[in-house]
């Protein structure tokens, strides 16, 4: 992004688009900063899913995609919202598919991000909490 430490940006700050979380500041120079998107390949993001606030560890798969594994009997359903912490509960995405196999105690959960990384033209960097 075109802002850096000269503008008060620091590593670890959360980055949002219209209030929707998309990543964190990874590194900073005086005039610029590098942001790692939550959906970047193999990026781990902790959050929760659904009204029951079931803890979930999301793995970025690149291109805006996320995946997670949960116990098959977790109660998570397609259409459930997924949130990450920030100033309040920030909506990260929605469960779009759950793959389960009767021989496995775990299900694979796929998400669609709330913010499309291919249409972002500007971001907001939130001050550290």
């Amino acid at each position: 992004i075109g802002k850096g430490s000269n503008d008060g940006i620091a590593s670890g700050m959360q980055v949002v688009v219209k209030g929707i979380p998309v990543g964190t500041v990874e590194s900073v120079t005086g005039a610029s900063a590098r942001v790692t998107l939550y959906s970047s390949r193999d990026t781990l993001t902790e959050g929760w899913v659904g009204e029951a606030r079931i803890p979930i560890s999301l793995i970025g798969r690149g291109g805006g995609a996320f995946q997670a594994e949960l116990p098959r009997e977790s109660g998570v359903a397609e259409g459930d919202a997924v949130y990450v912490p920030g100033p309040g509960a920030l909506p990260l995405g929605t469960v779009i598919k759950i793959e389960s196999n009767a021989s496995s105690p775990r299900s694979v959960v796929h998400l669609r991000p709330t913010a499309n990384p291919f249409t972002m033209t500007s971001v907001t960097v939130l001050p550290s909490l």
Side-chain angles (χ1 to χ4, degrees), residues 69-127:
E69 283 191 15
L70 288 173
R72 193 168 24 137
E73 304 301 325
S74 67
V76 172
E78 291 181 9
D80 282 351
V82 177
Y83 299 91
V84 295
L90 301 174
L92 183 69
T94 304
V95 175
I96 58 168
K97 183 178 179 182
I98 300 173
E99 295 176 6
S100 61
N101 183 327
S103 65
S104 174
R106 302 194 60 80
S107 294
V108 177
V109 178
H110 300 273
L111 305 173
R112 176 180 48 241
T114 304
N116 182 340
F118 300 106
T119 61
M120 295 178 206
T121 56
S122 65
V123 299
T124 301
V125 180
L126 299 178

Side-chain angles (χ1 to χ4, degrees), residues 14-110:
Q14 191 169 46
V15 178
V16 298
V17 171
K18 297 179 183 174
I20 299 166
V22 294
T24 57
V25 175
E26 178 183 309
S27 59
V28 183
T29 65
S32 67
R34 179 180 171 89
V35 174
T36 298
L37 297 177
Y38 292 132
S39 63
S40 295
R41 181 160 292 285
D42 298 328
T43 298
L44 176 66
T45 304
E46 300 294 338
W48 63 91
V49 60
E51 290 184 26
R53 298 179 62 103
I54 298 164
I56 191 168
S57 296
L58 303 162
I59 303 293
R61 292 296 176 218
F66 295 94
Q67 182 175 310
E69 283 191 15
L70 288 173
R72 193 168 24 137
E73 304 301 325
S74 67
V76 172
E78 291 181 9
D80 282 351
V82 177
Y83 299 91
V84 295
L90 301 174
L92 183 69
T94 304
V95 175
I96 58 168
K97 183 178 179 182
I98 300 173
E99 295 176 6
S100 61
N101 183 327
S103 65
S104 174
R106 302 194 60 80
S107 294
V108 177
V109 178
H110 300 273

